[in-house]
Each structure stands twice: as structure tokens, then as C-alpha cells.
Amino acid sequence: MGPTSRTRVAVVGYGYWGSKHVRVLGSMPDVEVTVVDGDAGRLREAATTYPSVRTARSQDEVLDEVDAVVVATPPGNHARIALDALRAGRHVLVEKPLATTVEDAQALVRTAAASGTQLMVGHTFEYNAAVWKLKELIDSGELGRILYIDAARLSLGRYQRDCNVIWDLAPHDISIVSFLLDETPRSTSVWAQRHVGHLHADVAYLRLDFERSDTHAFVHVSWLDPCKVRRVTVVGERKMAVYNDMSDNERIRVYDIGVDPNEVDDPTDAHAMPVSYRTGDIVSPFVQFTEPLLVQDSHFIDCVRTGRTPDTPGERGLDVVRVLTATDAARLSGRPELVAGYAEANERAALLHEAAS
Ligand SMILES: NC(=O)c1ccc[n+]([C@@H]2O[C@H](COP(=O)([O-])OP(=O)(O)OC[C@H]3O[C@@H](n4cnc5c(N)ncnc54)[C@H](O)[C@@H]3O)[C@@H](O)[C@H]2O)c1
């Protein structure tokens, strides 16, 4: 395919998120979209909203006529649909999580390599300008040594049938903190609970332990919370930064505040504070906002056209699936569990980091 020819993309799954892919891909020049969904009602809705798009009931019907596939079905279907597309030589973008087992995620990475096709995972927040700004603040040293990161993704959420709240929501936070720290966590601990229905945990707390950065991330995900919260807080020794995705115009705030330990040398002085506080300005840097899904899908189309390796290749999706798999083990054992392959993932991250700097 020449760099100027039209790129034909099938979006498989026209649900809540797939419909957004169709909207952004349909807005791009020289991209032709086909909507695939097994549900006739969903296809009728797609045809009404986008009269010019072609529709089909299954991927098999259209695979010969497209260059690339976006997989936006529920997670349990990702691997089978993506494998069929990769084996047919199509480039594939798979929504998060890449797959529901490490074996499936590995098979996807292997198949893409063997067929010389692009495999990308939809870690949308790695295409978000506010997350890039947070990373810039960390990498520049402005925040000082990172003491910990806290992430909260809460709301009265969309209960999923085929996965728990961790596999549904935490891929975002795992991808964000791994991106911020250039590191895959070494181990994880989990507290998770089901409160409604009889299927999956709907509230969970994770701790992710990062070896090289010598820090932790605490992740709270919930489908059962009255408040919609999308927040990442980076607590540094010098300053603290908050990314609030619910804010229209102050997505990032940098707090010039901190706490320092005090030497309390008089044990009889009951009023001596064990710490002292520093307070200063709160600054909200300007973040030029472009819809992250548009940035992500434009990047995918660019990779399809040019053969460039995606910024979130299949291997990054595999890393997150490995962390999610460790959360399953930690939930059952009640203990911290190692993330398989974390050392290999971090060697790869270090090489990429070196190449980029
Ligand atoms: N990146 C993000 O911010 C983000 C946000 C929401 C959802 N997602 C991801 O997007 C994916 C879809 O989630 P959703 O909330 O849109 O789900 P959904 O249930 O709303 O939609 C899924 C659609 O896929 C269709 N489908 C299922 N199996 C199919 C098959 N074999 N062939 C064709 N169509 C099939 C269903 O009919 C349905 O219309 C999930 O992987 C989810 O994790 C990502």
C-alpha cells in the first residue's frame, strides 16, 4: 500500500467504545471504515449514524477487503478476532486489555512478528497530553524523587460480564504509571470485593511495586461509587502534581508543597512536630488538548501506512496483561505476587528509553 492510497479499516464491535473509534476514524482523510458487529441492532444504528459506512455481521466477510482491523469487542473475544486478522496479514489495533491470558497475548505478539504486521494496543492514556505533561514534570526532576503515585478511577460504572473491575479499568492505570516511570511493576498486592450480583469483584485496591524507581503506585478502581473520579496524583519529595481528567481547564495542577522530617531531640517536648511543612504556589500549566482517541487512532493509521512501530506495540499490551494476571494470583493468595517477565519488560523499556533520548 502506498503512503497516499486510502486505508480501509474494519472496526469490529460497535458498542460504547467501538462507536467512538468509528467516529474518529471516519473523520480522518483517506480512511474508509467498515463496521462489524454480530448484533443486527447495533449495525442498524451504525448505518443510521454513518450512512456512508459499510456494515457486516462478521469479520470473515470483510477481511479480504480491508488493510487493518480495530478490535473493540469485550475482552474475552479480543485474542480470537485479532489472531484471525493477523494471520490474514492485516494490521491490528486491539482495545485494552490486549487479551485475557498471557498465553493469548504472547500468541498475538508472535503472530504479528511472524506475519510482518503491526500489532498495537489501545492504551489510550499514553496518547493523552495531560499524561505527557505529568511525565515531563517527573522526568525534568521538578517534583523531586517520587515517593508514591495514587490513581483513582471510580464511578457508577458499566458492570462487565466477562471480567472483573481490575481487568476492565486498571489497564488504564497500569499503563499510565508504567509509562510515567518507564517501568513495569515487579509485584502487586490486591484487595478486591464483589458487592452486587454474583459474577465479579466491583471494587478493588491494588499496590504496584516498582523496583528501579524504588516507589509504589496505589490504584483504586470501582464500578460502585457515587462520584465519577478520574485522578492520578504524583507525590514527589519537592512538589506534588495532580492530573484530574474530570476538569475542563485545569487537568494538571502542580502543588509546590511538601513535608520534611524534623529531628525531635527533646523527648519531653510533647508539642514538637515530627515533621515540618512547606507551602507555596499551586500552578496549572497549559495543556493543549486533543482527543486522545483521535491521537491514538491517527498514530495507528500512520503506522499502518509507514510501517513505523507503534508507541504502544503488542509487547506493551502483553506487559499489562502480565500485571493483570499477577493481580488474579494476588487476589487469591492475599499476598504480594511477582509479575512474570517484569525484568525482560524493563530491559526492553530501558532500550526504548535510551533510543528515544
Ligand atoms: N480505551 C478506553 O478508554 C476504553 C473505554 C471503554 C471500553 N474500552 C474497551 O473497548 C472494548 C469494548 O468495550 P465496550 O464498552 O464498547 O463494550 P460493549 O459491550 O458496549 O460493545 C461490544 C460490542 O461488540 C460486539 N461484539 C461482541 N462480539 C463480537 C464479535 N465476535 N464480532 C462482532 N461484534 C462483536 C457486541 O455486539 C457489542 O456491540 C473493551 O475491550 C473495553 O475494555 C476501552
Side-chain angles (χ1 to χ4, degrees), residues 76 83 95 163 262 266 286:
L83 269 178
E95 259 312 325
C163 68
N262 270 350
D266 180 359
F286 175 69

Side-chain angles (χ1 to χ4, degrees), residues 40-356:
R42 298 301 305 152
L43 285 187
R44 270 196 301 278
E45 190 173 323
T48 307
T49 314
Y50 303 100
S52 63
V53 302
R54 198 183 146 193
T55 59
R57 289 293 285 272
S58 89
Q59 176 176 251
D60 295 347
E61 292 172 37
V62 300
L63 216 41
D64 284 345
E65 294 145 40
V66 297
D67 307 299
V69 171
V70 172
V71 182
T73 59
N77 287 346
H78 288 181
R80 187 181 52 75
I81 295 169
L83 269 178
D84 285 349
L86 291 169
R87 284 183 184 135
R90 304 295 170 257
H91 305 288
V92 179
L93 163 60
V94 186
E95 259 312 325
K96 59 80 197 164
L98 178 62
T100 51
T101 66
V102 170
E103 293 71 23
D104 279 349
Q106 283 170 327
L108 288 172
V109 170
R110 264 198 318 269
T111 307
S115 57
T117 49
Q118 303 285 4
L119 172 63
M120 173 165 158
V121 64
H123 290 170
T124 328
F125 283 89
E126 296 187 43
Y127 298 91
N128 184 312
V131 174
W132 297 341
K133 177 52 99 179
L134 264 191
K135 182 159 173 57
E136 202 181 297
L137 288 163
I138 295 172
D139 288 351
S140 68
E142 185 171 342
L143 306 183
R145 187 168 69 86
I146 304 307
L147 299 177
Y148 74 93
I149 299 178
D150 181 90
R153 195 168 298 280
L154 329 171
S155 66
L156 219 46
R158 294 161 50 84
Y159 276 71
Q160 302 292 317
R161 214 174 311 177
D162 68 345
C163 68
N164 67 21
V165 70
I166 301 175
W167 282 79
D168 181 38
L169 297 182
H172 290 312
D173 303 292
I174 296 166
S175 106
I176 291 171
V177 294
S178 304
F179 171 76
L180 291 178
L181 298 172
D182 282 318
E183 189 179 354
T184 286
R186 176 182 191 276
S187 54
T188 180
S189 315
V190 175
W191 296 262
Q193 190 71 43
R194 168 171 52 78
H195 301 87
V196 177
H198 55 276
L199 287 176
H200 304 295
D202 47 19
V203 177
Y205 295 80
L206 320 181
R207 194 186 78 179
L208 304 169
D209 309 311
F210 292 87
E211 189 172 64
R212 186 180 48 78
S213 313
D214 187 22
T215 194
H216 307 284
F218 301 96
V219 177
H220 178 193
V221 283
S222 176
W223 289 329
L224 192 58
D225 197 284
C227 302
K228 182 158 180 172
V229 178
R230 301 281 184 264
R231 193 187 56 224
V232 179
T233 306
V234 183
V235 175
E237 222 165 19
R238 291 183 54 216
K239 291 185 184 177
M240 307 182 188
V242 178
Y243 160 35
N244 177 7
D245 196 49
M246 301 311 294
S247 168
D248 285 334
N249 51 11
E250 289 190 13
R251 280 197 165 78
I252 299 284
R253 280 182 170 193
V254 185
Y255 294 74
D256 185 4
I257 58 175
V259 183
D260 298 310
N262 270 350
E263 291 304 326
V264 184
D265 40 15
D266 180 359
T268 60
D269 183 355
H271 299 291
M273 292 282 284
V275 294
S276 59
Y277 298 90
R278 283 179 284 110
T279 50
D281 291 341
I282 302 169
V283 174
S284 178
F286 175 69
V287 177
Q288 178 75 50
F289 194 74
T290 308
E291 185 183 359
L293 188 66
L294 175 62
V295 178
Q296 174 195 287
D297 286 8
S298 303
H299 177 61
F300 176 58
I301 297 298
D302 184 47
C303 293
V304 167
R305 286 178 178 162
T306 62
R308 181 182 155 191
T309 303
D311 290 343
T312 51
E315 288 85 346
R316 294 274 301 131
L318 169 61
D319 294 344
V320 169
V321 170
R322 282 178 163 145
V323 179
L324 292 166
T325 303
T327 69
D328 284 342
R331 192 165 47 84
L332 293 174
S333 71
R335 289 196 308 264
E337 294 286 346
L338 276 182
V339 173
Y342 79 92
E344 170 204 321
N346 287 333
E347 266 169 40
R348 183 164 23 82
L351 286 175
L352 284 176
H353 187 66
E354 224 169 76

